[in-house]
Amino acid sequence: MKLQSASTRRLVFRLNDAERDWLVEVLSRYPVVPESHATLTRQGDASLREHEQLLRDSLTEQRHTLRARIKVWLAAPGRWLSAGRGHRLIVPREDGEWLLQVFNDVRVGSWLRLGAPEELTRDPGSLPVGQQMDFALMELSGVFQMVLLQALDEESGP
Amino acid sequence: MPTVMPDLDEQTRNRDTLEPGYRVVCWNDPVNFMVYVTHVFQRVFGWSRQKAEHHMRQVHEQGRSVLTRESLERAEFYVHQLQQYHLHATLERDE
């Protein structure tokens, strides 16, 4: 996935077939972080329990909103254009922030499913088969996140 | 007794001085990219890149950074915002 052009309104990426399939796979996995993961305080302050519930309710609502938005977004007319052997993906700049949140949910959630290791393995082949998909999703969502982040920082072209 | 009602700004100031303060803290983890953390700080707090990078480095090198001190309501707001991006952020009493 490479940035092809950036304007004030939109970003255009070029993807090959495999990248497109993985992008759709990553987005369709959302949400991955468990709802119980959100905490307001480190030590569990009992006096703020009600506030913590509000935080969780707010994040749950966000998950529902984003999950519905992803489906509509992926299927929107003009989202994908064929480009020779590959594809062009059109991303309005205003969608950049929620897409970053989605990619990072899949990244952090996959990391949690791996047991939240302090050191990220460089040898995914050594992982149990059941965790290799989590590792792949963590890495790929990180790649998409970084490409999008760099593109959002890109100066607008003509 | 006061003969006139204090204006709203004064009421707000008085409330803020009476309310306990809360720190918004961001914790280190091995999964969030440094450049992503910097970006999120800029978006949530409206900070310059330099200030955002300073706090990101604190998180990375010292394990945590106190991002701001606020009333409970404002601190909660910032924790909500940071957690929407899945940064490990919490609040604690500023004692």
Side-chain angles (χ1 to χ4, degrees), chain B residues 35-65:
Chain B
V35 65
Y36 177 75
V37 174
T38 301
H39 174 86
V40 174
F41 288 169
Q42 286 184 273
R43 291 290 301 192
V44 170
F45 295 103
W47 290 344
S48 66
R49 182 178 292 257
Q50 190 181 20
K51 183 172 181 181
E53 281 180 348
H54 168 75
H55 282 277
M56 177 276 291
R57 287 189 197 288
Q58 272 194 337
V59 172
H60 184 63
E61 292 164 7
Q62 298 171 29
R64 59 175 252 162
S65 178

Side-chain angles (χ1 to χ4, degrees), chain A residues 38-42 45 47-48 51 55 62 97 100-101 104-105 107 111 117-118 120 145-146 149 153, chain B residues 22 27 30-33 35-36 39 43 49 72 76 79-80 83-86 88-91 93:
Chain A
T39 56
L40 195 56
T41 61
R42 185 93 158 169
D45 186 333
S47 68
L48 294 175
H51 296 262
L55 168 69
Q62 183 207 20
E97 290 304 312
L100 284 176
Q101 293 175 358
N104 208 43
D105 176 282
R107 179 167 170 78
W111 172 72
E118 273 303 308
L120 303 180
Q145 181 189 69
M146 290 304 291
L149 199 48
D153 285 342
Chain B
Y22 285 82
W27 302 85
V31 71
N32 278 301
F33 294 116
V35 65
Y36 177 75
H39 174 86
R43 291 290 301 192
R49 182 178 292 257
L72 176 58
E76 269 187 288
V79 170
H80 284 216
Q83 292 203 5
Q84 284 187 354
Y85 284 91
H86 293 294
H88 187 181
T90 58
L91 59 79
R93 287 177 199 275

Side-chain angles (χ1 to χ4, degrees), chain A residues 3-4 11 24 31 35 49 58-59 79 92 94 119 130 148:
Chain A
L3 179 66
Q4 191 171 53
L11 306 166
V24 172
E35 289 189 11
R49 197 162 291 152
S58 158
L59 293 174
R79 176 74 56 226
E94 67 209 35
E119 296 223 358
L148 177 58

Side-chain angles (χ1 to χ4, degrees), chain A residues 72-140:
Chain A
V72 173
W73 192 85
L74 280 172
R79 176 74 56 226
W80 299 95
L81 301 171
S82 63
R85 287 185 178 177
H87 310 272
R88 278 191 295 165
L89 171 66
I90 314 299
V91 180
R93 276 188 184 269
E94 67 209 35
D95 290 343
E97 290 304 312
W98 69 262
L99 281 168
L100 284 176
Q101 293 175 358
V102 167
F103 287 138
N104 208 43
D105 176 282
V106 177
R107 179 167 170 78
V108 172
S110 301
W111 172 72
L112 291 170
R113 288 168 62 99
L114 290 167
E118 273 303 308
E119 296 223 358
L120 303 180
T121 183
R122 292 178 182 171
D123 179 19
S126 66
L127 292 170
V129 174
Q131 290 193 332
Q132 289 184 4
M133 180 55 111
D134 292 323
F135 183 85
L137 287 167
M138 181 184 75
E139 291 293 299
L140 285 162

Side-chain angles (χ1 to χ4, degrees), chain B residues 6-19:
Chain B
D7 64 24
L8 190 59
D9 284 348
E10 190 179 338
Q11 287 180 358
T12 305
R13 275 197 301 275
N14 289 342
R15 191 190 64 191
D16 285 349
T17 55
L18 292 173
E19 274 190 4

